[in-house]
Amino acid sequence: MNLLEGAAAGSSAGGMGLLLIYVVVLGAAMYFMAIRPQRKEQKRVGAMLSEMEVGDSVVTTGGFYGVVIDITDEDVIVEFGSNKNCRIPMKKSAIAEVEKANAE
């Protein structure tokens, strides 16, 4: 009986070690597949928005194309289309893409 009890206790400890390895591997996979790319994208978007200047062409998250005419800390004023009266203030986070103005 003592031999069987020792074998059962040893297999449960080995099972716990294997479970711990699975949890660590799953955690590492989750980090490299989800968290790390998301942080990298956040850094890219932050750099893009910090380098944005007046005159740059932008695309909003809604798909509208416009030109930046004023920038504050949190907001931008974007002019849409050829109508010079269509100026809309929006959050910087609503900008999806920035194309630099040609310096000619």
Side-chain angles (χ1 to χ4, degrees), residues 5-87:
E5 288 174 0
S11 68
S12 68
M16 290 297 283
L18 192 59
L19 179 64
L20 181 63
I21 290 172
Y22 283 142
V23 169
V24 169
V25 167
L26 264 160
M30 181 83 131
Y31 175 78
F32 283 106
M33 293 177 69
I35 297 170
R36 186 170 176 231
Q38 184 179 8
R39 285 187 182 164
K40 194 173 185 180
E41 178 66 13
Q42 285 174 344
K43 285 181 183 179
R44 185 193 68 79
V45 170
M48 175 187 70
L49 293 177
S50 67
E51 294 172 0
M52 186 171 47
E53 298 174 344
V54 173
D56 290 348
S57 297
V58 296
V59 179
T60 66
T61 54
F64 294 106
Y65 290 84
V67 176
V68 176
I69 60 171
D70 191 24
I71 300 175
T72 61
D73 288 338
E74 295 293 321
D75 301 323
V76 294
I77 297 177
V78 180
E79 185 175 76
F80 295 98
S82 60
N83 183 358
K84 301 298 182 190
N85 293 326
C86 186
R87 298 174 176 183

